[in-house]
Amino acid sequence: MNNVAEIDYFNDVLENNASIILPEEGEQLLLKEIEFTFKVTSEISNDQLGVYKITLNPMAIGAKLHYHRFMDETFIVDKGELTLVVGDKEFKVPKGSIAYVPRFTPHGFRNDTDEKVELTLLFNPSQKREGFFRGLHETLSEEPIDPAKYLKLYNKYDSFPVDTSNMIPRR
């Protein structure tokens, strides 16, 4: 007699695993210039998708020019005007716009205005991006910022600065 559990190879097993995240929900990290709120995390999505709300205060830099090897990034501008740098071009991305940045595409983003910019940032797959944001919070809260520690964090979470001498997001 075979003790192996019966496996149905022909029918789908349906599950009720939806997540509803309300506007005020999600872990929040605050820096002087940037706020991060985790909405759909790697844990929720089995590392397939990360959704994060980002608020850039006036004149804040989100990230200098960098690229990802294993994930795509999508920016949805919810409020204000985001400046998105892609390669050697700059784009003013107004509210309601979506910018899709596939892997191996150098990009950076910032707020060049006197108003807050709010955006929804999606990573696919998420590559445990929450660890990156937590490490970024720690690293950018230190004075002075340690470039070697910053680069180690970047590289661990699939981010590669185009110019390591100009990678810290400060004006």
Side-chain angles (χ1 to χ4, degrees):
M1 182 153 186
N2 192 349
N3 289 336
V4 177
E6 294 269 337
I7 298 174
D8 185 346
Y9 296 104
F10 302 96
N11 296 295
D12 292 332
V13 176
L14 303 181
E15 299 175 353
N16 295 325
N17 287 331
S19 296
I20 308 297
I21 298 97
L22 299 175
E24 67 277 359
E25 293 180 331
E27 179 183 345
Q28 192 173 56
L29 299 176
L30 303 173
L31 290 168
K32 290 182 283 185
E33 301 170 336
I34 306 172
E35 300 171 23
F36 306 95
T37 305
F38 302 167
K39 294 298 188 174
V40 177
T41 62
S42 298
E43 183 179 348
I44 291 171
S45 73
N46 194 29
D47 211 27
Q48 296 304 300
L49 177 68
V51 179
Y52 312 95
K53 296 295 284 185
I54 309 291
T55 299
L56 298 172
N57 286 328
M59 305 308 290
I61 296 175
K64 297 277 184 104
L65 209 57
H66 67 285
Y67 65 94
H68 309 288
R69 292 178 177 162
F70 303 106
M71 64 184 163
D72 300 332
E73 191 169 354
T74 302
F75 298 79
I76 302 170
V77 181
D78 301 315
K79 178 181 177 184
E81 180 183 78
L82 181 70
T83 299
L84 182 66
V85 180
V86 181
D88 60 356
K89 296 181 180 168
E90 248 181 50
F91 301 91
K92 300 298 183 186
V93 185
K95 175 184 173 182
S97 299
I98 298 171
Y100 170 67
V101 181
R103 56 199 80 183
F104 291 103
T105 302
H107 63 285
F109 63 101
R110 64 182 186 265
N111 179 359
D112 288 337
T113 73
D114 293 329
E115 304 291 326
K116 284 187 177 188
V117 171
E118 296 177 5
L119 57 125
T120 303
L121 199 53
L122 290 84
F123 289 95
N124 180 24
S126 59
Q127 301 281 311
K128 300 188 181 358
R129 203 70 182 160
E130 301 81 31
F132 172 78
F133 289 127
R134 289 184 185 108
L136 194 64
H137 180 263
E138 176 183 320
T139 304
L140 295 179
S141 295
E142 297 172 350
E143 288 296 333
I145 296 169
D146 179 352
K149 183 177 179 181
Y150 185 85
L151 183 60
K152 186 174 183 177
L153 174 72
Y154 244 54
N155 291 166
K156 178 179 179 182
Y157 291 99
D158 190 33
S159 293
F160 300 90
V162 172
D163 178 0
T164 55
S165 69
N166 185 24
M167 64 181 173
I168 306 293
R170 297 280 189 250
R171 289 197 187 258

